[in-house]
Amino acid sequence: MTNSGTNLGNVRDLYQQVILERYKKPKFKGVTDPIDRYQKGHNPSCGDTIELTLQLDEAQATIIAAKFDGEGCAIALSSADLMAEALRGKTVTEALEMIEGFQGMMRGDFEFPHELRKLNVLKGVSQFPVRIKCANLVWHTLRAALQSPGAVVSNEAE
Ligand code: ZN
């Protein structure tokens, strides 16, 4: 039998690999066409800036595509890339639930179900309070894009 401590180490390494891979080679960087929602978010504590664009269906109820642009650390940008991937085909209601879920994961009391398990690679960030803002930035930005588009999101006061 394998040593569980070793397995945990491997899983952690794997998660770090995914984060770095998404940071270096994002799959969802860019701008949607058309742009149905645009939202900018800024995290002053780290300097992360994200511009999020969404393409919605005609009823404005389902997210067809999400893309992001901007500059930031590996945690902020990998979170954006993983979020953009997970949002495809989700309803606005489902997206808002995912925001709650992600913030719960950053508090250490939630894990995404199998369908959304890729997002769990960021779970370890919950143990680093300084980086939680980085991981949450794009999710804050998404909430504003869906609920009150236009204003620049800043999580300075968080
Ligand atoms: Zn950051």
Side-chain angles (χ1 to χ4, degrees):
M1 293 302 284
T2 51
N3 176 314
S4 66
T6 305
N7 280 343
L8 193 64
N10 289 343
V11 168
R12 206 172 287 148
D13 289 347
L14 177 68
Y15 282 8
Q16 284 173 359
Q17 271 178 28
V18 171
I19 290 169
L20 282 175
E21 183 75 15
R22 290 302 186 116
Y23 173 58
K24 289 182 194 160
K25 291 182 189 168
K27 296 180 181 176
F28 296 90
K29 198 164 186 184
V31 176
T32 61
D33 179 23
I35 297 170
D36 292 310
R37 296 291 169 92
Y38 165 83
Q39 186 68 49
K40 189 170 182 175
H42 181 54
N43 172 24
S45 67
C46 179
D48 310 311
T49 300
I50 284 174
E51 291 180 87
L52 179 69
T53 51
L54 301 177
Q55 178 186 359
L56 302 176
D57 70 342
E58 275 185 45
Q60 304 279 293
T62 300
I63 297 167
I64 295 171
K67 289 198 174 183
F68 74 98
D69 214 333
E71 292 177 11
C73 66
I75 299 294
L77 297 187
S78 62
S79 185
D81 203 54
L82 290 162
M83 186 193 82
E85 180 171 51
L87 284 176
R88 287 181 301 174
K90 295 289 186 295
T91 66
V92 169
T93 305
E94 287 169 333
L96 293 170
E97 285 170 5
M98 286 164 62
I99 296 168
E100 295 298 320
F102 193 87
Q103 290 175 345
M105 189 168 78
M106 289 301 107
R107 289 191 302 270
D109 59 12
F110 182 81
E111 188 169 294
F112 283 98
H114 188 77
E115 181 209 351
L116 295 168
R117 66 190 180 283
K118 277 188 186 173
L119 294 170
N120 291 332
V121 300
L122 289 160
K123 194 178 172 191
V125 175
S126 66
Q127 290 171 30
F128 301 94
V130 176
R131 312 317 299 272
I132 291 173
K133 284 183 180 182
C134 301
N136 269 338
L137 175 63
V138 76
W139 297 86
H140 283 299
T141 307
L142 173 65
R143 188 198 300 275
L146 295 173
Q147 291 186 328
S148 53
V152 176
V153 174
S154 172
N155 58 13
E156 192 165 21
E158 198 177 285

